[in-house]
Structures are given as structure tokens and as C-alpha cells.
Amino acid sequence: MSESKLAGQFFDAAIGLLQRVRDEEAGNVAAAGTAIADAVAAGGRLFAFGAGHSSLAAQDVVYRAGGLALMNLLAVPGTVGVDVTPATLGSALERVDGLAGAVLDSSPARPGDVLVIVSLSGRNSLPVEMAMNARALGLKVIGVTSLAYTSTTKSRHVSGTFLRDHCDIVLDSKIATGDAELTHPAIEAPFAPASTVVTSALMQAMMAAAAESLAERGIEPPLLRSGNVDGGHEWNGRVLEEYGDRIFFRR
């Protein structure tokens, strides 16, 4: 079977973006990892938030084999994915004012905790207000976004600001506005988005940096193992029990 030229071009584009974030965001990734490790060491809790497809990268670090057990998903009903009907409802809710404050006020988040907010454009009301409210509550906010949108689009928040403007640490995914890496003369719309690949990689790199920072302090990172390897369930049971007061996806 012959190879697809466009498929190869997509892999090349994704690899190029991964190389860019590895080289250009190394300092920010390390800073984010240190902030997460600081919270873990101080008895704090970790949260991740994303809406729509940005939620995929947030979910990727929650209850994940090889991931930190303390990372909890901060979910806004109706915006977590495309499991609502109509699927466009999630996009509409991202533009509604007031949701972020209501979710944070009813969440277990408290001062000193860390919230990672994933939003490709960073322009909608929900992620902007999530960051603003979280910082007002005393949380440290890490934003994972594309800074390209700040120069090519307008904010949809009344303040005119973007997610990047309300974060303690920002990781730039380098994704171009529109999130489509390929074009073709016979195809009208650009296609092949790479934001999930790159953003998920940034999230996992951040987690690796956090584990490294904890190990350097002599603290065993509270990591989960795969339940599909021998001893995995027993290991996870011990971790979940030891850190149960900081894990909210388990009742």
C-alpha cells in the first residue's frame, strides 16, 4: 500500500511543533513542574481545566497511569467534551459569563493549590474568568495556550484580556491561529489540527518536571501505575488511600 503524502506532512508538522515547544518552552515547563511540586510538598492539591477539545489534554493527566494521583479534573458541566447534544452547546457555554466563579466557589480548591488551565485560543470568557477567579482565591495558575491568538484575534471577555494575562506561568503551544496544519488545492478548508498532540505533550512534560523536582527533594512522587500490570491495583490502592484527602475523583 502506498504512503499518504498528507499523512506524512502532518507527522512532520507535529514533530516540528514538538521540537519547538521542547526547545522554546523548556524554562516555562520546568517552572510549571516546580510549582506543581511545591504544592504537592506543601500538602496542596492539583486541578486541571479545559473546555471542548482543550479538555482532552486536561483529562490526559487525571487518574492516569504514570501520572500524579493528586491531579483532579475541574469540570464545568456541558463543556468537558463533545458528549453533550448538541455538541455546539459546549462552545456556547465557553462564552457565558459567571460559570467559572460558580464552579470554583463550589469546588474543593483552596489557597496554595495549583490550577492548570488549557485553552488553545485563551480568548473565551470561561478560561479567562477561571484564571481570574482562581488567582483571586489564592491559587497558582498555569496556562497552556497559543500566544498566536493574542495577536490575531480579539478577546471575547468583557475585559479584553486573554488567558495569558491572568496566569503565573504560561506555556505556549505554538499552534497557529485556526489549528490546522495542512492545506490542499482541492480542499477548501485547512485541516489536520495538531493542538491535542502538542498540548498533551506539554502537559506530560510538566508532570515529568514535577516528578523530577519532587525526587530532587527526597519526596516520592505520588504516581499511579497501570492497572493492567501485575501489582498495579495494589500499588494504586495504597497511593489513593495515603493521599485520599487530596484526591476528589474518588469518593
Coordinates of all heavy atoms in Angstrom, one line a residue, residues 4 7 11 41 63 77 88 111 114 116 137-138 163-164 166 176 185:
S4 N 0.5 7.9 2.3 CA -0.2 9.1 2.1 C 0.8 10.3 2.3 O 1.4 10.4 3.3 CB -1.3 9.2 3.1 OG -1.8 10.5 3.1
A7 N -0.6 12.6 5.1 CA -0.3 12.0 6.4 C 1.1 12.2 6.9 O 1.4 12.6 8.0 CB -0.7 10.5 6.4
F11 N 2.6 14.4 10.2 CA 3.6 13.9 11.2 C 4.7 14.9 11.2 O 5.2 15.3 12.3 CB 4.1 12.5 10.8 CG 3.1 11.4 11.2 CD1 2.6 10.6 10.3 CD2 2.9 11.2 12.6 CE1 1.7 9.6 10.7 CE2 2.0 10.2 13.0 CZ 1.4 9.4 12.0
A41 N 4.4 19.1 47.8 CA 5.2 19.1 49.0 C 4.6 19.8 50.2 O 4.8 19.4 51.4 CB 6.6 19.7 48.7
Y63 N -6.1 10.8 36.8 CA -6.2 9.4 37.0 C -5.6 8.6 35.9 O -6.2 7.7 35.3 CB -7.7 9.0 37.2 CG -8.0 7.6 37.6 CD1 -7.4 7.1 38.7 CD2 -8.8 6.7 36.9 CE1 -7.6 5.7 39.1 CE2 -9.0 5.4 37.3 CZ -8.4 4.9 38.4 OH -8.6 3.6 38.8
P77 N -19.9 21.5 33.8 CA -20.8 20.6 33.1 C -21.2 21.2 31.7 O -21.5 22.4 31.6 CB -22.1 20.6 34.1 CG -21.5 20.8 35.4 CD -20.3 21.8 35.2
T88 N -22.5 21.6 19.9 CA -22.1 23.1 19.8 C -22.4 23.8 21.2 O -22.0 24.9 21.4 CB -22.9 23.8 18.7 OG1 -24.3 23.4 18.9 CG2 -22.5 23.3 17.4
P111 N -6.6 28.2 48.7 CA -5.3 28.9 48.5 C -4.1 28.0 48.6 O -4.0 27.1 49.5 CB -5.3 30.0 49.7 CG -6.7 30.2 49.9 CD -7.4 28.9 49.8
V114 N -2.8 24.4 43.0 CA -2.4 24.8 41.6 C -3.5 24.4 40.6 O -4.1 23.3 40.7 CB -1.1 24.0 41.2 CG1 -0.9 24.2 39.7 CG2 0.1 24.6 42.0
V116 N -4.2 24.2 36.5 CA -3.7 24.2 35.1 C -4.9 24.4 34.2 O -5.8 23.6 34.2 CB -2.9 22.9 34.7 CG1 -2.4 23.1 33.3 CG2 -1.8 22.6 35.7
L137 N -8.7 33.7 44.5 CA -8.9 32.7 45.6 C -7.5 32.3 46.2 O -7.5 31.5 47.1 CB -9.7 31.5 45.1 CG -11.1 31.7 44.8 CD1 -11.8 30.5 44.2 CD2 -11.9 32.1 46.1
G138 N -6.4 32.7 45.5 CA -5.1 32.4 46.1 C -4.5 31.1 45.4 O -3.5 30.6 46.0
L163 N -6.4 34.6 28.4 CA -5.9 33.7 29.5 C -4.5 34.0 29.9 O -4.2 34.1 31.1 CB -6.0 32.2 29.0 CG -5.3 31.2 29.9 CD1 -6.0 31.1 31.3 CD2 -5.4 29.8 29.3
R164 N -3.7 34.3 29.0 CA -2.2 34.5 29.3 C -2.1 35.7 30.3 O -1.1 35.7 31.0 CB -1.5 34.8 28.0 CG -1.9 36.1 27.3 CD -1.0 36.6 26.2 NE 0.4 36.9 26.7 CZ 1.4 37.2 26.0 NH1 1.3 37.3 24.7 NH2 2.6 37.5 26.5
H166 N -3.7 36.4 32.9 CA -4.1 36.1 34.3 C -3.4 34.8 34.8 O -4.0 34.1 35.7 CB -5.6 36.0 34.4 CG -6.3 37.2 33.8 ND1 -6.4 38.4 34.4 CD2 -6.9 37.3 32.6 CE1 -7.1 39.2 33.7 NE2 -7.4 38.6 32.5
A176 N -0.7 27.6 15.4 CA -1.1 28.8 14.6 C -2.6 29.0 14.8 O -3.4 28.0 15.0 CB -0.8 28.6 13.1
P185 N -4.9 22.0 -2.6 CA -5.6 22.8 -3.7 C -7.0 22.3 -3.9 O -7.9 23.1 -4.3 CB -4.7 22.5 -4.9 CG -3.4 22.2 -4.4 CD -3.6 21.5 -3.1

